[in-house]
Amino acid sequence: METWRVIATALLAAAGLPLVLVVMAKVRDRTRSSGQVALGGVVTLTLLAVVGVLTLTVLPGAVSWALVAAVAAAVSVMLLAG
């Protein structure tokens, strides 16, 4: 496994875990339903895991780094706007 893939996946996970928490908080604010909060967290975490596995295995470098940048930007915007 190439080193850049491991680094990109680690950065994706580091940016993605706060994204899961922010999504769960936004769902809680909108619905006030613990079931919906759990569902939002599971869906976000599953998508993060799938993208992480794809980054580790098959995605080209440009796509992988673009995903890392997009997740980091999304987390930054959500945290600053929230």
Side-chain angles (χ1 to χ4, degrees), residues 4 8-9 11 13 17 21 27 30 41 49 52 55 67-68 71 74 81:
W4 69 265
T9 304
L11 291 173
L17 291 179
L21 297 175
V27 170
R30 292 183 185 184
T55 300
L67 283 171
V68 170
V71 169

Side-chain angles (χ1 to χ4, degrees), residues 3 7-8 13 15 29 31 33 36 44 48 51 59-60 67-68 70-71 74-75 81:
T3 305
I7 293 170
D29 289 344
T31 64
S33 168
Q36 291 294 325
T44 307
L48 180 63
V51 170
L59 289 178
L67 283 171
V68 170
V71 169
V75 169

Side-chain angles (χ1 to χ4, degrees), residues 10-26 44-45 48 71-72 74-76 78-79:
L11 291 173
L12 185 66
L17 291 179
L19 179 66
V20 172
L21 297 175
V22 169
V23 166
M24 290 174 74
K26 297 258 183 210
T44 307
L45 191 62
L48 180 63
V71 169
V75 169
S76 298
M78 285 183 171
L79 288 176

Side-chain angles (χ1 to χ4, degrees), residues 40-55:
V42 167
V43 167
T44 307
L45 191 62
T46 302
L47 288 174
L48 180 63
V50 167
V51 170
V53 168
L54 289 175
T55 300

